[in-house]
């Protein structure tokens, strides 16, 4: 069983920063494809950032240069550092992980429906 728990969502003003965290609980798996995804009201879910099983990283075009994904294997935690936030970044942010997903980071950004495990989401609201 894999359980994910996100935290760190908040309301901030445009230009501000936030760091999201996703703690992964798993007694069986140690190597994951992991990523952050978001969904705004009335919009489709989109890929934000992914680390694949080989440690390669990719970002959605709208966040490149502003967001940074990282993970701390010792803490089993995935992070998303979000800088220069814009109102259009407002969304529910979800962490996803899968120990079997062999997609590249770029592929996983698009085919996020293939992830087997999802967190409950954390809300990020950016005001202008």
């Amino acid at each position: 069983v894999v359980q994910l728990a996100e935290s760190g969502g908040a309301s901030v003003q445009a230009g501000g920063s936030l760091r999201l965290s996703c703690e992964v609980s798993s007694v069986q798996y140690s190597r994951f494809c992991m990523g952050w995804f978001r969904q705004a009201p009335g919009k489709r879910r989109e890929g934000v950032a992914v680390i694949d099983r080989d440690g390669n990283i990719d970002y959605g075009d709208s966040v490149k240069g502003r967001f940074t994904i990282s993970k701390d294997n010792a803490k089993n935690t995935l992070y998303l550092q979000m800088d220069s936030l814009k109102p259009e970044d407002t969304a529910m942010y979800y962490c996803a992980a899968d120990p079997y997903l062999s997609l590249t980071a770029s592929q996983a950004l698009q085919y996020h429906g293939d992830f087997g495990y999802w967190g409950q989401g954390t809300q990020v609201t950016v005001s202008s």
Side-chain angles (χ1 to χ4, degrees):
V1 175
V2 178
Q3 294 180 315
L4 308 176
E6 303 103 329
S7 61
S11 296
V12 297
Q13 290 198 323
S17 298
L18 281 175
R19 189 176 80 157
L20 305 183
S21 300
C22 174
E23 185 174 350
V24 182
S25 299
S26 171
V27 296
Q28 186 174 1
Y29 306 108
S30 60
R31 190 175 173 215
F32 291 84
C33 179
M34 303 182 68
W36 290 97
F37 301 86
R38 67 186 183 187
Q39 188 167 20
K43 294 188 177 181
R44 297 177 64 180
R45 186 173 62 192
E46 65 171 332
V48 176
V50 169
I51 300 178
D52 66 24
R53 295 178 78 240
D54 294 325
N56 301 304
I57 291 173
D58 201 6
Y59 297 93
D61 289 340
S62 62
V63 306
K64 283 181 179 177
R66 300 188 298 122
F67 290 11
T68 304
I69 189 172
S70 62
K71 62 180 180 176
D72 185 329
N73 290 327
K75 296 182 179 180
N76 292 326
T77 302
L78 182 72
Y79 300 101
L80 184 68
Q81 177 66 41
M82 304 186 295
D83 298 317
S84 302
L85 282 162
K86 304 176 181 180
E88 50 264 43
D89 294 318
T90 295
M92 185 71 78
Y93 283 71
Y94 298 92
C95 172
D98 197 297
Y100 298 113
L101 197 58
S102 58
L103 298 177
T104 66
S106 297
Q107 292 170 330
L109 271 177
Q110 296 183 56
Y111 301 111
H112 37 88
D114 290 351
F115 280 88
Y117 300 95
W118 292 81
Q120 80 286 354
T122 187
Q123 178 67 38
V124 172
T125 303
V126 184
S127 57
S128 57

